[in-house]
């Protein structure tokens, strides 16, 4: 990172600062200025940093993305948007990083439950937010979090009071409509004691899905937009509470996506993550989980890369207390010249006896030019623990292809069947029907090969 | 049905089959027996189109067509069925889907319409009963987590539904206990017809106690060294393979 990129952003900052939410809150002003200072010093992370060895963000540095300060909900076709909304969910829509009330569906929330934009929450619930915002994701961790803290324009705020079980899922729909835009959002989700919730994060651009650009009325019809998404979500799952978080990332094929999910689990809390990374030219997910006593987390991931996509997943699970369980399975399918990265760290602290941890990463390379770098890491400081990890990188099994051929299936279809079956294991874990169908559709559309048939399920 | 003439096959530079001649008429059952390494499995693989083998000479003609020139799936659609020695587990693809896809592609190949969903289900359930299988196997992934016996039964189930003209059975008896062997044999016997031929590749005589062959051939060092009737298998069981091998050497 050259600090010149950082200083270019920093020079712009005073021009937009007044338009950022929470300017009247001293604690937030303080946080933002500390983060800005940090970002000015270190900029975006460089491949010289160990955690960023495989992630080259120089593409981001060549451009200067600008925040979109005007609300552009008019640009969004309601019918198109509806296709991306999850049926029977509360939907909060962010257009270019700004909340759009008219596009959102937030009626009939149970009493005591907050689902609102971050900007609104800073206006009406600042005291509730103060102890949480910035406490799970420190701006000192790396340049993207500092950047996010300084620049965030909006986000999602969810608060579920204790013992309340939300029957319907909450969806936050991130839409980008223009080129060279940066959308910087900060979200906070708090699930109080013994409460239960499901949250879906969807990232799409008006260009539509990867390699399937819709023709539009503008002059850039059919050309994917380059833009930057930097989204940080801080999650607090309190005593015996339960949260399932789904992330569906189908950004434009020229987009840069940095997504960070930072989760703190209290005693006996349960957290399940389903992370679908399909879009973007360069995308990276950081998922950090801190596990309390006897808490459980399950991290599932599927990344599909083609052409020159770079898809990066970094997970870090910290077993801080005893008796916690972590389960992790990430699967990748890489074709063309795509590159995938999986870095999975599990840290077991000295006090975390009886830890039970399993981590698996399985990859399928469909072309000679596709590449994956996988790096599972176990750091164990306790002596009575059960930890396992496994990694596979391979091609389709020739014996399986021949078996299917001998059962009348042509070779290309046989390859598709096997690839699809490999990926579909992760799609099948989705328990919300309408989301399941949408993700499945995305897998079918984005699949590197043709002829995939839903009937194979 | 099938004429094999002077067939030579190599793996890499190493010749495995060195001039096989065999003629199988409709309705016949031929047993190919021989010691380990004689080329038995190579023969069944080459006939069904598995990769990794080079045909260096000779021919195999199936119903007047050059069999060796066809892709494996075309052979299957033309009615050649290989029952695997080690059926492959295909996770994520359900057994019943594969059955239906296979049957429909055969029908399409023959210019027939796709099978009616209800008729298909009735057909499958009949055959499942015949093979004393649990219906739940239909909805599981192909061979995944099946025991050795269940996998072999599943092969016969596929054979019963696809109704091939030429069945090549590669060491079908290996790994089967006596009860499973009986069920599998009854399944095969029920498929016998004047239009359907079988090639049974086996190391042991015991399968032939249940499925009576018309012809028995002994394969050694890549050649058929002796042919005879069903009684040849009994003789082999009694004397072992060394006497035929010695007779040639």
């Amino acid at each position: 990172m050259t600090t010149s990129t950082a200083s270019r952003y920093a020079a712009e900052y005073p021009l937009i600062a007044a338009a950022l939410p929470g300017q009247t809150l001293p604690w937030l002003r303080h946080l933002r200025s500390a983060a800005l200072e940090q970002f000015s010093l270190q900029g975006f992370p460089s491949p010289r940093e160990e955690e960023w060895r495989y992630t080259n963000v120089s593409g981001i540095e060549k451009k200067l993305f600008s925040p979109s300060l005007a609300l552009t909900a008019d640009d969004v076709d309601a019918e198109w948007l509806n296709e991306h909304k999850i049926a029977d969910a509360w939907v909060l829509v962010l257009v270019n990083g700004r909340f759009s009330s008219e596009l959102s569906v937030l009626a009939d929330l149970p009493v005591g439950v907050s689902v609102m934009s971050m900007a609104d929450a800073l206006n009406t619930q600042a005291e509730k937010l103060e102890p949480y915002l910035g406490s799970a994701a420190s701006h000192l961790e790396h340049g993207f979090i500092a950047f996010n803290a300084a620049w965030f324009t909006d986000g999602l705020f969810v608060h579920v009071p204790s013992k309340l079980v939300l029957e319907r899922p909450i969806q936050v729909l991130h839409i980008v409509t223009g080129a060279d835009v940066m959308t910087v959002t900060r979200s906070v989700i708090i699930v109080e004691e013994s409460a239960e919730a499901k949250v879906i994060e969807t990232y799409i651009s008006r260009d539509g899905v990867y390699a399937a650009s819709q023709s539009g009325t503008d002059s850039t019809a059919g050309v994917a937009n380059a833009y930057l998404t930097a989204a940080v979500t801080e999650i607090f799952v309190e005593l015996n509470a339960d949260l399932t978080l789904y992330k569906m990332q189908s950004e434009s094929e020229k987009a840069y996506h940095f997504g960070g999910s930072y989760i703190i689990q209290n005693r006996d809390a349960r957290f399940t993550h389903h992370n679908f990374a399909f879009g973007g030219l360069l995308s990276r997910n950081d998922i950090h989980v801190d596990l309390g006593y006897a808490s459980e987390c399950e991290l599932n991931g599927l990344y599909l890369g083609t052409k020159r996509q770079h898809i990066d997943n970094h997970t870090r699970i910290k077993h801080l207390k005893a008796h916690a369980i972590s389960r992790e399975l990430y699967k990748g399918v890489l074709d063309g010249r795509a590159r995938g990265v999986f870095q999975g760290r599990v840290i077991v602290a000295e006090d975390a006896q009886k830890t039970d941890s399993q981590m698996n990463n399985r990859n399928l390379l469909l072309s000679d030019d596709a590449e994956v770098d996988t790096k599972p890491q176990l750091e164990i400081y306790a002596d009575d623990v059960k930890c396992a990890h496994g990694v596979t990188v391979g091609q389709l099994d020739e014996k399986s292809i021949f078996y299917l051929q001998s059962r009348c299936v042509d070779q290309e279809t046989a390859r598709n069947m096997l690839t699809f079956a490999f990926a579909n294991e992760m799609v099948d874990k989705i328990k919300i029907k309408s989301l399941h169908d949408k993700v499945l559709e995305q897998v079918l559309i984005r699949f590197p090969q043709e002829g995939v048939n839903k009937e194979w399920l | 049905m099938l004429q094999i003439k002077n067939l030579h096959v190599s793996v890499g530079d190493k010749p495995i089959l060195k001039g096989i001649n065999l003629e199988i008429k409709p309705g016949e059952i031929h047993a190919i027996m021989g010691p380990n390494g004689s080329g038995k499995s190579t023969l069944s693989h080459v006939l069904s189109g598995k990769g990794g083998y080079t045909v260096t000479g000779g021919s195999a003609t199936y119903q007047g067509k050059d069999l060796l020139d066809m892709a494996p799936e075309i052979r299957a659609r033309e009615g050649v069925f290989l029952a695997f020695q080690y059926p492959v587990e295909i996770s994520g693809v359900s057994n019943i889907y594969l059955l239906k896809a296979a049957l429909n592609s055969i029908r399409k190949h023959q210019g027939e319409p796709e099978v009616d969903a209800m008729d298909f289900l009735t057909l499958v359930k009949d055959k499942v009963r015949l093979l004393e299988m649990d219906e739940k196997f239909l909805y599981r992934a192909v061979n995944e987590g099946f025991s050795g016996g269940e996998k072999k039964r599943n092969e016969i189930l596929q054979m019963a539904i696809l109704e091939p003209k030429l069945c090549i059975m590669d060491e079908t008896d290996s790994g089967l206990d006596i009860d499973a062997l009986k069920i599998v044999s009854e399944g095969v016997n029920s498929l016998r017809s004047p239009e359907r031929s079988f090639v049974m590749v086996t190391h042991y005589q015991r399968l032939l106690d249940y499925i009576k062959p018309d012809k028995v051939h002994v394969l050694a060092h890549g050649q058929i060294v002796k042919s005879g009737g069903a009684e040849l298998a009994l003789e082999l069981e009694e004397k072992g393979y060394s006497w035929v091998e010695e007779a040639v050497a």
Side-chain angles (χ1 to χ4, degrees):
Chain A
M1 171 69 193
T2 52
T3 44
S4 67
T5 308
S7 56
R8 273 154 65 208
Y9 278 102
E12 300 256 311
Y13 193 78
L15 307 174
I16 57 115
L20 299 174
Q23 290 303 306
T24 57
L25 302 167
W27 61 268
L28 186 58
R29 276 213 316 275
H30 177 75
L31 175 67
R32 284 190 189 270
S33 70
L36 178 64
E37 195 180 324
Q38 183 68 25
F39 179 73
S40 305
L41 280 174
Q42 76 185 153
F44 292 119
S46 112
R48 285 190 299 276
E49 293 170 46
E50 181 59 23
E51 295 285 313
W52 291 79
R53 253 181 73 194
Y54 302 108
T55 316
N56 191 341
V57 302
S58 61
I60 296 174
E61 291 168 5
K62 286 185 196 130
K63 289 178 175 288
L64 190 65
F65 297 99
S66 309
S68 166
L69 296 174
L71 184 65
T72 45
D74 289 347
D75 293 352
V76 180
D77 177 44
E79 204 174 308
W80 170 79
L81 183 67
N82 282 337
E83 283 171 31
H84 295 278
K85 286 182 177 171
I86 299 301
D88 203 30
W90 289 289
V91 185
L92 186 134
V93 178
L94 296 166
V95 181
N96 298 331
R98 299 259 169 183
F99 172 59
S100 164
S101 160
E102 68 257 47
L103 296 175
S104 299
V105 185
L106 294 170
D108 304 322
L109 278 163
V111 177
V113 174
S114 301
V115 177
M116 61 177 72
S117 74
M118 178 56 74
D120 285 349
L122 288 168
N123 274 330
T124 61
Q125 313 210 22
E127 277 172 37
K128 198 183 265 175
L129 262 171
E130 187 181 350
Y132 292 102
L133 206 158
S135 73
S138 163
H139 63 274
L140 300 173
E141 179 110 21
H142 58 65
F144 268 108
I145 303 178
F147 179 74
N148 180 280
W151 265 270
F152 77 83
T153 52
D154 213 333
L156 167 74
F157 174 69
V158 172
H159 181 260
V160 186
S162 65
K163 293 184 183 146
L164 198 139
V165 175
L166 271 185
E167 301 288 346
R168 294 160 59 187
I170 297 162
Q171 182 188 23
V172 54
L173 196 43
H174 295 258
I175 302 165
V176 177
T177 64
D180 301 328
V181 169
M182 66 186 205
T183 68
V184 187
T185 54
R186 175 68 63 110
S187 299
V188 170
I189 299 168
I190 305 159
V191 187
E192 298 283 10
E193 182 180 343
S194 301
E196 204 178 309
K198 296 176 187 72
V199 178
I200 301 157
E201 298 180 306
T202 306
Y203 294 86
I204 51 172
S205 82
R206 204 184 45 172
D207 297 329
V209 295
Y210 192 95
S213 304
Q214 308 287 314
S215 58
T217 49
D218 57 330
S219 58
T220 57
V223 179
N225 284 327
Y227 58 84
L228 170 65
T229 296
V232 170
T233 306
E234 296 181 273
I235 293 166
F236 305 87
V237 193
E238 300 298 347
L239 187 72
N240 195 40
D242 190 316
L243 176 71
T244 303
L245 181 69
Y246 297 90
K247 175 170 178 173
M248 175 68 204
Q249 187 272 99
S250 346
E251 303 269 26
S252 129
E253 68 175 275
K254 284 191 183 161
Y256 298 94
H257 178 99
F258 171 78
S261 304
Y262 301 86
I263 300 99
I264 294 179
Q265 287 183 247
N266 209 325
R267 187 184 169 120
D268 296 323
R270 290 171 303 282
F271 172 71
T272 309
H273 195 223
H274 300 272
N275 177 14
F276 297 95
F278 296 166
L281 180 63
L282 170 68
S283 71
R284 169 157 169 150
N285 283 300
D286 279 19
I287 296 144
H288 289 196
V289 185
D290 285 358
L291 289 171
Y293 184 89
S295 59
E296 294 176 27
C297 83
E298 183 184 330
L299 304 183
N300 297 307
L302 175 66
Y303 44 102
L304 305 179
T306 182
K307 298 185 184 172
R308 289 179 171 272
Q309 277 185 289
H310 178 115
I311 305 182
D312 219 327
N313 286 292
H314 288 239
T315 65
R316 196 219 61 195
I317 299 168
K318 255 189 198 167
H319 283 261
L320 295 169
K321 298 276 194 252
H323 291 285
I325 300 172
S326 61
R327 292 286 178 269
E328 178 168 17
L329 175 60
Y330 266 71
K331 282 182 143 186
V333 180
L334 300 158
D335 198 4
R337 306 180 66 86
R339 187 171 182 198
V341 178
F342 173 80
Q343 188 172 38
R345 267 176 89 191
V346 173
I347 301 158
V348 182
E350 212 177 328
D351 288 344
Q353 299 296 358
K354 305 287 181 191
T355 284
D356 180 353
S357 170
Q358 280 178 23
M359 170 171 44
N360 267 293
N361 174 228
R362 291 160 64 190
N363 298 283
L364 204 49
L365 299 181
L366 299 180
S367 86
D368 290 342
D369 294 324
E371 183 183 330
V372 69
D373 295 289
T374 171
K375 196 174 159 195
Q377 289 172 283
L378 288 178
E379 293 166 37
I380 303 173
Y381 303 100
D383 50 22
D384 185 11
V385 301
K386 210 163 68 184
C387 294
H389 66 87
V391 163
T392 58
V393 178
Q395 280 89 37
L396 289 169
D397 176 31
E398 291 298 326
K399 277 186 198 154
S400 302
I401 294 169
F402 175 65
Y403 187 81
L404 290 171
Q405 282 185 285
S406 76
R407 299 300 176 256
C408 309
V409 178
D410 67 84
Q411 193 179 32
E412 195 191 340
T413 305
R415 301 187 81 88
N416 284 343
M417 264 187 176
L418 294 168
T419 310
F420 181 74
F422 177 83
N424 192 47
E425 184 191 349
M426 305 316 289
V427 181
D428 259 356
K429 290 178 188 283
I430 302 174
K431 297 207 177 74
I432 300 168
K433 177 79 170 66
S434 64
L435 177 65
H436 171 271
D437 295 351
K438 280 188 173 54
V439 175
L440 182 65
E441 197 180 302
Q442 290 284 305
V443 174
L444 293 173
I445 290 171
R446 283 163 187 270
F447 228 77
Q449 294 163 46
E450 288 172 16
V452 174
N453 190 325
K454 271 189 192 183
E455 270 190 71
W456 292 336
L457 291 172
Chain B
M1 179 73 66
L2 179 69
Q3 289 94 33
I4 301 174
K5 284 185 184 154
N6 197 26
L7 184 65
H8 286 73
V9 174
S10 298
V11 174
D13 292 336
K14 195 183 173 209
I16 307 289
L17 299 182
K18 303 163 189 168
I20 301 284
N21 289 290
L22 196 60
E23 166 134 26
I24 296 168
K25 295 197 171 70
E28 286 183 348
I29 295 190
H30 287 234
I32 312 277
M33 301 186 69
N36 291 331
S38 59
K40 299 191 301 289
S41 280
T42 298
L43 180 61
S44 55
H45 290 160
V46 167
L47 292 178
S48 52
K50 190 175 180 185
Y53 300 94
T54 314
V55 176
T56 53
S59 65
T61 311
Y62 167 74
Q63 295 196 310
K65 293 174 188 164
D66 180 359
L67 182 68
L68 303 176
D69 200 33
M70 298 179 205
E73 64 271 21
I74 303 299
R75 299 182 200 199
R77 291 172 197 166
E78 288 276 340
V80 177
F81 183 93
L82 172 66
F84 281 62
Q85 181 178 8
Y86 303 109
V88 183
E89 301 193 6
I90 313 279
S91 63
V93 177
S94 80
N95 218 6
I96 192 157
Y97 174 72
L98 181 60
L99 280 170
K100 196 174 172 188
L103 181 59
N104 277 332
S105 67
I106 290 174
R107 293 174 68 103
K108 194 176 163 196
H109 191 72
Q110 293 169 343
E112 291 170 30
E114 292 202 344
V115 65
D116 172 79
M118 286 310 293
D119 292 349
F120 175 69
L121 211 57
T122 311
L123 169 73
V124 171
K125 287 186 175 177
D126 275 355
K127 303 295 182 189
V128 160
R129 257 192 304 278
L130 176 78
L131 290 161
E132 298 179 32
M133 289 172 77
D134 192 324
E135 270 186 29
K136 70 174 195 275
F137 281 103
L138 292 172
Y139 302 98
R140 283 171 53 180
V142 177
N143 293 321
E144 196 176 49
F146 289 22
S147 71
E150 287 159 354
K151 283 179 182 168
K152 295 294 171 77
R153 272 190 237 188
N154 201 37
E155 297 288 289
I156 308 303
L157 173 70
Q158 293 171 343
M159 193 194 280
I161 285 163
L162 301 181
E163 300 188 315
K165 298 187 189 82
L166 176 64
C167 306
I168 302 163
M169 303 179 63
D170 190 8
E171 307 266 5
T172 294
D173 51 332
S174 71
L176 287 187
D177 62 29
I178 200 74
D179 292 330
L181 186 64
K182 276 184 192 164
I183 293 165
V184 165
S185 305
E186 279 165 23
V188 172
N189 285 327
S190 74
L191 288 169
R192 292 187 72 159
S193 91
E195 291 83 39
R196 184 171 293 131
S197 311
F198 292 82
V199 176
M200 294 197 299
V201 171
T202 181
H203 189 90
Y204 301 105
Q205 139 74 19
R206 63 172 197 158
L207 179 67
L208 309 180
D209 288 339
Y210 299 94
I211 307 170
K212 193 171 175 296
D214 299 302
K215 299 255 172 67
V216 175
H217 310 277
V218 181
L219 197 61
H221 309 299
Q223 287 180 308
I224 290 175
V225 294
K226 200 168 175 60
S227 295
E231 71 289 343
L232 177 58
L234 294 167
E235 206 175 339
L236 284 168
E237 181 80 351
E238 198 179 310
K239 300 184 183 170
Y241 285 111
S242 54
W243 69 279
V244 272
E245 287 182 291
E246 280 159 17
V248 184

